[in-house]
Each structure stands twice: as C-alpha cells, then as structure tokens.
C-alpha cells in the first residue's frame, strides 16, 4: 500500500493545477497561496495524527495518512504553478525571468531536502516518523502564518505598465477591503 502514498501526488497534479488556476483567478495570488497553505497544513495535521490512529487501528491510521497525503498532493500545484504569476505581479519585465527561475527552483530544492530529511530522521523500524511528520507540520504551520501576516496580493506600486493595466481591470476580492496591498 505504500505505492499509493507515492503516486497520489502524481494522480492529483492535474486536478490540483485546475484548482490552483481557479484559486488564483478567483482570489488572487495571496488568496490562492493562503488556501494552498491552509489545505497543506490540514493535510500535514492528518498525516501527523495518523501515527496515533495507527496505534489503535492500522487501517484507520493508513487512511488518515493517505487522506493527508492526498490533500497535500492536491495543493502542490498551487506552489509549483505560482512562479510565473508571482514574477509577473511583483517584478518589472527585466527581472521576471530571474524571479521565475528562482521561484521555480525552490520546488526541486525542496524535493531534495524532502529526500534527505526523512532518511536521516527515520530508522528502518519506523522510529523517528513522528518527529519527521511533526517537523513537516511545523513548517506548514509557519508557512501559513507567514503568508497570512506578510504576503500581499501585489506590491503597493505596480512594477510595470502591464501590471498597472491589469490591476485597473481586475481587483481580486481580498483587495476590496485591504488597503495595505
């Protein structure tokens, strides 16, 4: 059954991409990132709680783990697909390529850390799994708080003419009551 934990991310990438597109269109960059972070945090909490549930019922623990993994897999495209929108919204034309590359490279770097960290924390007998899931949950929680407090939909001054025109045409709902964007 471990294969399902691996392929759930691949299976949910396309539906997650459609979800990410909808979130960014409907709620803007900040709203989309906030929803992605909250769902990712919920998935991390479910994965962490699967450890306790597993001690009571292996099947119940596995289902919680799989559901948490599915939620995290569903919102992974929010992070992967935000690079170009982030660059277009926050950077002038001459800096967008570099901003897109830096944002896009965070995904493989994160994947690399995600490959190294588990093998250094979790023993073959499963000892250390709780610590690993706790660290992932803490990172998700911190990320959610940072987005909630500091992340804005757009800079106070548009970085380009294109962004000036786009911001005049479309004001995402979270900007309607937020004057600090």
């Amino acid at each position: 059954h471990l294969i399902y934990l691996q392929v759930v991310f691949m299976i949910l990438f396309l539906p997650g991409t459609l979800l990410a597109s909808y979130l960014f269109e409907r709620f803007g960059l900040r709203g989309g990132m906030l929803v992605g972070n909250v769902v990712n945090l919920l998935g991390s909490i479910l994965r962490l709680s699967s450890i306790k549930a597993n001690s009571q019922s292996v099947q119940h623990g596995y289902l919680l783990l799989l559901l948490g993994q599915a939620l995290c897999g569903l919102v992974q495209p929010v992070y992967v697909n935000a690079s170009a929108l982030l660059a277009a919204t926050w950077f002038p034309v001459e800096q967008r390529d570099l901003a897109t590359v830096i944002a896009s490279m965070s995904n493989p770097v994160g994947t690399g850390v995600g490959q190294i960290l588990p093998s250094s924390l979790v023993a073959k007998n499963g000892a250390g799994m709780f610590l690993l899931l706790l660290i992932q949950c803490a990172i998700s929680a911190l990320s959610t708080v940072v987005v909630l407090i500091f992340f804005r939909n757009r800079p106070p001054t548009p970085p380009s003419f294109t962004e000036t025109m786009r911001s005049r045409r479309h004001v995402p709902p979270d900007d309607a009551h937020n004057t600090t964007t």
Side-chain angles (χ1 to χ4, degrees):
H1 294 307
L2 290 178
I3 190 72
Y4 298 130
L5 296 172
Q6 294 172 341
V7 299
V8 71
F9 271 77
M10 291 179 269
I11 291 170
L12 292 174
F13 193 84
L14 182 58
T17 296
L18 297 174
L19 174 65
S21 296
Y22 170 78
L23 291 173
F24 290 137
E25 181 62 32
R26 175 75 173 91
F27 301 110
L29 185 58
R30 180 181 190 274
M33 293 300 290
L34 191 56
V35 170
N37 273 277
V38 168
V39 173
N40 192 51
L41 177 58
L42 180 60
S44 296
I45 291 169
L46 288 174
R47 292 191 307 196
L48 182 62
S49 65
S50 73
I51 298 286
K52 176 145 175 58
N54 194 41
S55 66
Q56 297 165 351
S57 161
V58 173
Q59 185 177 11
H60 186 239
Y62 178 76
L63 289 175
L64 271 179
L65 183 62
L66 186 59
L67 179 60
Q69 191 81 343
L71 286 176
C72 293
L74 184 64
V75 294
Q76 179 195 20
V78 168
Y79 306 107
V80 174
N81 299 338
S83 311
L85 181 58
L86 179 72
T89 303
W90 280 86
F91 293 90
V93 175
E94 63 275 3
Q95 295 175 355
R96 286 184 188 163
D97 290 341
L98 181 60
T100 302
V101 166
I102 291 171
S104 296
M105 288 305 297
S106 65
N107 186 45
V109 168
T111 300
V113 170
Q115 297 295 319
I116 294 168
L117 190 62
S119 61
S120 64
L121 289 177
V122 180
K124 290 185 185 212
N125 66 359
M129 182 60 78
F130 179 79
L131 178 61
L132 173 67
L133 294 176
L134 183 63
I135 289 170
Q136 289 176 344
C137 195
I139 291 170
S140 294
L142 179 63
S143 176
T144 301
V145 169
V146 167
V147 168
L148 183 64
I149 294 173
F150 298 110
F151 197 87
R152 296 290 166 238
N153 221 21
R154 61 177 57 95
T157 305
S160 67
F161 177 75
T162 308
E163 266 309 294
T164 301
M165 298 311 293
R166 190 165 74 99
S167 65
R168 288 183 183 168
R169 279 194 336 258
H170 176 70
V171 178
D174 69 318
D175 282 356
H177 304 289
N178 187 357
T179 59
T180 63
T181 57

